[in-house]
Amino acid sequence: GQPITASDGAVLPVETGRGVRATDGLNGVVWFQAEIDGELIVDDRREASTPAIFLSVQPVLVIRGDVCFETGSIDHPGSVEVHGCVRSGFHVAVEGNVTVGDAIEDGGDVRADGTVAVAHGIIGSKTRVHAGGSVYAKFILEGQVDAGETIVACEYIRDAQVLADETVEVSGRVGNPKSGAISGGRAM
């Protein structure tokens, strides 16, 4: 084959947000340091009118069991990691990401500005999940799920209302389309 010449890439400025400090080092090197414990958020805005990379650190709240009567509903300015379930009648609302180690049960409500990742299922006709980013789950059964990006179900989607601004992806099977609705902004 013939060599292909590449042009130099553009240098994007890196800006800091909440929880990150920039320090000038030797020879023009800039060091970025977290000011708090938490989750590093890298917001790549290359397509924006003023392209840049934004770094921030969001605090992470860890719930070592279920979101239930013991914990109450959760409203948090960072990200939340739930090791168990989000039980019926309880909500989790965050500015970051939500990770659920088990399931979101019928009547649970999860809202995140970022991504929602559920190890097992999103279950029940009264369940609501909203993500500004993507939603990932093993399966979706009867819930209402919407995402600003992609919805991915590893096994199936059945009797659910799912809406993604980008794509809906199912690795296994899609359930009865007569009893649910699946919509993706670009392709499915």
Side-chain angles (χ1 to χ4, degrees), residues 70-93:
E70 187 176 319
T71 63
S73 289
I74 307 293
D75 293 284
H76 186 64
S79 294
V80 171
E81 180 181 316
V82 179
H83 289 185
C85 294
V86 176
R87 298 278 183 193
S88 180
F90 294 91
H91 75 263
V92 176

Side-chain angles (χ1 to χ4, degrees), residues 16-46:
T16 59
R18 180 172 73 184
V20 176
R21 176 179 55 232
T23 306
D24 292 329
L26 298 174
N27 302 322
V29 174
V30 178
W31 292 87
F32 297 96
Q33 182 176 15
E35 296 178 315
I36 61 172
D37 290 338
E39 176 183 17
L40 174 65
I41 305 296
V42 179
D43 189 2
D44 183 346
R45 298 184 184 174
R46 292 179 208 204

